[in-house]
Amino acid sequence: MATEMTGDWDKFIRGIQTIDPAELQRDEIAPKLKVSYRLKQVQEAVLREDAGWQDLVKTRGIPSGTYPIINVNGQIALRNWVNQSPDEVLKALQAVWVPSDLSESARIRAFSELFPRDVMGGAGTRLTVISQLLMVIDVEMYPPYKTQAFRLAYDRTGYGRPPKNADEVALYEHALNFLDRFIWEAKVRGLELGNRLVAQGLVWKSKEDDFWNRLTDCEENPPSFPRLLDLDKLAEELFLTEPDDFLENIEALLDDKKQVIFQGPPGTGKTYIAQALANHLAGSEERVTLVQFHPSYAYEDFVQGFRPKTGEDGQPRLELKDGPLRQVAEQAKDEPGEKHFLIIDEINRGQLSKVLGELYFLLEYRDKEMRLQYSDEPFSLPKNLYIIGTMNTADRSIALVDAALRRRFYFVEFHPDREPVREVLRRWLQANAPSDMQWVANVVERANELLKDDRHAAIGPSYFMKDGLDETMVKRIWEHSVLPYIEERRFGDEDRLGDFDLDKLKSKANSPTEGAVENGDTDAENEDGGESDVSD
């Protein structure tokens, strides 16, 4: 578990703002970009296994001079390793530099397994070397690591250090999570850092002796930062109406019961808003996990269960593996000062009593422990783990949500005829589409009026919130997405499908008699001259 230290983000970031940007670029950013460029040449030679790859590793891959990331003793140890075990070094470098979509954790683990501990010992020292190699992959995403600089930053901000027995992977993940948190904390105080490389450069500059004096000055003159990225700002970015109430209300519901479900017709932005709100409240995407339920999803997939695995002898065997719920719970326990979120998309599509099992109890009693089906160890849901489910009310499986689950969740309605969803499409079109495309919002409203006798069949705004929206795209979306959905909802009532012809809706929505269906005026006649059968 991370050790919480006393610290102050306000004071730390006030000190950061005293660092000269030109000095930061000269001392930290430019040298690392140069190292990354030099390493790229080494990487290409290593992957091709060129004859001179060893010399390149020793001269360009282990930089010294004015900007040594690795200290002198480390440089000597690495050059000796290259001289004594070139085949071993080549294999290790190829493992970390292989062109693929491997995560940084997988690359670190692959190199570590081939990096002898008699060459270099402690996890922090080894990570300094490995993180330098990762700069080739993307220096802005994977900046180098130094233990002392990060420890000082952890302590000064109160972020908390990683566990004492953390390996290279855990140390680097902790450092990257800190940089993400640093970027977010700076942003809400009006300071845009841009990427992890800039944040890491500021961390390294902050370890200089005079930085402590700047923090002392901040203590004598406490900073007062405006909260620029508040929930009302987030609501504006999401084109929601009534920004002061809606998201704040959801935050209050989460603080009270720890779990909510967003429910409404498809296309109303439930999942998108769940992710945006969770990222905002957690302060980092790293603390937000998304899973999706489906009819074949089981307790063993979600919580814990035995999974097949091939043993070292090549024989199949079963291994007890944690599902996303247990994984997220453990992460939350390791960071008690941070909010962690689990988003369950389409929560009603799973067989909930089968998937959740004893979690029915734990969801309601966060301060209690109980033993899980496959484990003798007591387990509980930490109070800093929040759950947001999404539920499509047009899906008939909504009936599977029983009263026991409803008692454990708050429910938040997302519907096109209610705030805050009602004006989302119109606002988005005004901000992102040509002025001659505003009719799309009128058409959707018109179609939803025709569907008001089946409220959960309403058409949500997200169908049309797409870059480059034009009339051709609208017709394609309407024909291949909206109409099939309406036909499925109106099965057995095909005579009325003609009312949903796009051109007809567009003509009526743009006519002076727009809204006549609602008011019972001239548009209440069908093409055969009879009265409309649209329900009120």
Side-chain angles (χ1 to χ4, degrees):
M1 181 178 295
T3 304
E4 289 293 328
M5 307 291 289
T6 58
D8 188 333
W9 277 107
D10 279 351
K11 187 168 68 173
F12 183 76
I13 293 173
R14 175 58 65 87
I16 286 297
Q17 289 179 306
T18 67
I19 295 175
D20 182 3
E23 183 181 322
L24 176 69
Q25 178 69 24
R26 182 196 67 219
D27 295 347
E28 297 294 341
I29 308 302
K32 289 166 191 163
L33 292 174
K34 183 176 180 180
V35 170
S36 176
Y37 173 76
R38 290 164 61 114
L39 283 170
K40 190 70 177 177
Q41 297 174 300
V42 182
Q43 179 198 31
E44 292 171 356
V46 165
L47 294 178
R48 291 195 305 261
E49 300 187 21
D50 290 348
W53 73 265
Q54 289 174 256
D55 291 334
L56 277 176
V57 169
K58 289 186 289 186
T59 57
R60 302 181 72 82
I62 309 174
S64 54
T66 57
Y67 195 82
I69 295 175
I70 304 167
N71 63 32
V72 174
N73 290 335
Q75 295 171 29
I76 294 172
L78 290 173
R79 291 192 178 98
N80 288 338
W81 184 35
V82 175
N83 290 332
Q84 296 168 7
S85 308
D87 292 341
E88 189 175 60
V89 174
L90 181 65
K91 188 176 180 181
L93 290 174
Q94 289 176 338
V96 74
W97 280 343
V98 59
S100 72
D101 58 356
L102 283 177
S103 67
E104 76 277 5
S105 298
R107 294 177 186 274
I108 293 171
R109 193 169 287 109
F111 186 88
S112 297
E113 291 173 354
L114 299 168
F115 188 17
R117 294 199 174 272
D118 57 359
V119 173
M120 194 167 290
T125 307
R126 290 163 60 84
L127 179 57
T128 301
V129 174
I130 303 170
S131 64
Q132 177 177 299
L133 300 176
L134 286 174
M135 292 166 66
V136 174
I137 309 302
D138 186 341
V139 66
E140 292 185 351
M141 282 293 293
Y142 308 124
Y145 171 90
K146 279 189 177 179
T147 299
Q148 182 184 11
F150 275 100
R151 279 182 179 173
L152 282 172
Y154 297 154
D155 294 350
R156 286 169 175 171
T157 60
Y159 183 77
R161 295 184 182 185
K164 291 183 179 180
N165 61 345
D167 62 7
E168 296 88 341
V169 171
L171 286 176
Y172 199 55
E173 287 181 346
H174 194 84
L176 294 183
N177 289 340
F178 171 81
L179 294 177
D180 290 340
R181 172 69 178 274
F182 180 16
I183 292 170
W184 183 82
E185 293 284 355
K187 184 176 181 179
V188 300
R189 292 166 174 81
L191 180 63
E192 292 284 350
L193 301 186
N195 57 56
R196 289 171 175 172
L197 179 61
V198 174
Q200 185 261 12
L202 289 167
V203 167
W204 284 25
K205 290 291 288 182
S206 72
K207 68 180 173 49
E208 297 176 357
D209 293 339
D210 65 336
F211 187 78
W212 184 254
N213 296 329
R214 300 174 194 175
L215 292 186
T216 302
D217 292 340
C218 291
E219 261 185 338
E220 297 172 357
N221 302 284
S224 177
F225 289 109
R227 186 174 175 81
L228 298 182
L229 189 61
D230 218 330
L231 288 176
D232 58 347
K233 179 65 175 177
L234 178 63
E236 291 177 11
E237 293 177 356
L238 296 172
F239 301 98
L240 299 174
T241 51
E242 297 187 2
D244 292 335
D245 298 329
F246 186 67
L247 296 182
E248 289 182 3
N249 183 51
I250 296 174
E251 183 181 26
L253 296 177
L254 284 166
D255 287 341
D256 180 26
K257 196 170 281 191
K258 308 300 182 184
Q259 48 256 356
V260 302
I261 287 178
F262 296 169
Q263 64 176 11
T268 47
K270 300 180 293 296
T271 304
Y272 186 84
I273 293 172
Q275 292 181 88
L277 179 61
N279 290 339
H280 173 85
L281 297 177
S284 170
E285 295 181 6
E286 302 291 333
R287 290 188 283 275
V288 179
T289 300
L290 173 69
V291 299
Q292 187 179 69
F293 281 5
H294 49 78
S296 63
Y297 207 68
Y299 177 95
E300 289 76 10
D301 301 303
F302 184 55
V303 184
Q304 187 182 54
F306 286 98
R307 287 288 175 262
K309 177 185 178 182
T310 302
E312 296 180 359
D313 57 359
Q315 297 299 311
R317 61 189 60 186
L318 293 176
E319 178 184 38
L320 185 62
K321 296 197 69 172
D322 290 339
L325 185 279
R326 281 213 59 170
Q327 293 172 13
V328 173
E330 293 305 319
Q331 292 170 9
K333 290 175 182 177
D334 286 342
E335 292 184 303
E338 308 291 348
K339 292 184 176 182
H340 287 252
F341 284 81
L342 176 63
I343 300 173
I344 306 175
D345 196 32
E346 304 282 5
I347 189 171
N348 56 306
R349 293 188 66 231
Q351 299 182 42
L352 294 180
S353 59
K354 176 181 178 183
V355 175
L356 298 179
E358 60 273 346
L359 293 181
Y360 272 89
F361 175 84
L362 295 174
L363 286 169
E364 187 168 8
Y365 300 101
R366 291 293 185 100
D367 56 343
K368 303 293 184 181
E369 292 183 336
M370 67 185 310
R371 301 186 190 281
L372 302 179
Q373 292 185 40
Y374 297 97
S375 175
D376 290 332
E377 298 179 3
F379 176 76
S380 64
L381 289 176
K383 293 182 178 181
N384 62 325
L385 172 59
Y386 301 84
I387 299 174
I388 302 177
T390 70
M391 178 186 298
N392 177 5
T393 53
D395 188 340
R396 291 167 176 82
S397 63
I398 189 173
L400 298 176
V401 180
D402 59 24
L405 188 74
R406 289 186 179 277
R407 191 176 72 249
R408 288 159 172 80
F409 282 80
Y410 281 122
F411 286 76
V412 180
E413 182 79 9
F414 283 67
H415 199 279
D417 66 2
R418 288 187 182 179
E419 304 295 1
V421 182
R422 186 172 65 183
E423 294 295 321
V424 165
L425 181 56
R426 195 174 300 280
R427 286 183 169 205
W428 185 91
L429 289 168
Q430 291 170 353
N432 296 281
S435 58
D436 60 355
M437 293 301 297
Q438 303 304 308
W439 58 269
V440 178
N442 296 335
V443 163
V444 173
E445 288 180 1
R446 184 80 181 186
N448 283 337
E449 278 294 321
L450 297 173
L451 291 166
K452 63 183 180 181
D453 60 332
D454 183 7
R455 192 166 178 273
H456 297 301
I459 302 163
S462 63
Y463 284 101
F464 304 97
M465 295 169 65
K466 298 181 182 295
D467 293 337
L469 188 73
D470 58 17
E471 189 159 349
T472 300
M473 186 183 295
V474 171
K475 289 181 178 179
R476 185 164 58 244
I477 294 169
W478 195 267
E479 180 179 354
H480 299 288
S481 189
V482 175
L483 278 182
Y485 167 67
I486 294 175
E487 289 172 0
E488 192 273 336
R489 297 296 299 188
R490 293 291 190 180
F491 184 76
D493 193 14
E494 288 81 359
D495 292 342
R496 296 178 58 187
L497 293 179
D499 294 337
F500 296 94
D501 177 77
L502 180 61
D503 291 334
K504 184 178 178 180
L505 285 170
K506 181 180 177 183
S507 174
K508 290 187 176 182
N510 292 334
S511 71
T513 56
E514 179 184 350
V517 170
E518 181 180 8
N519 299 323
D521 293 328
T522 57
D523 277 340
E525 291 185 352
N526 289 322
E527 294 178 355
D528 61 3
E531 292 186 357
S532 171
D533 59 354
V534 175
S535 302
D536 291 335

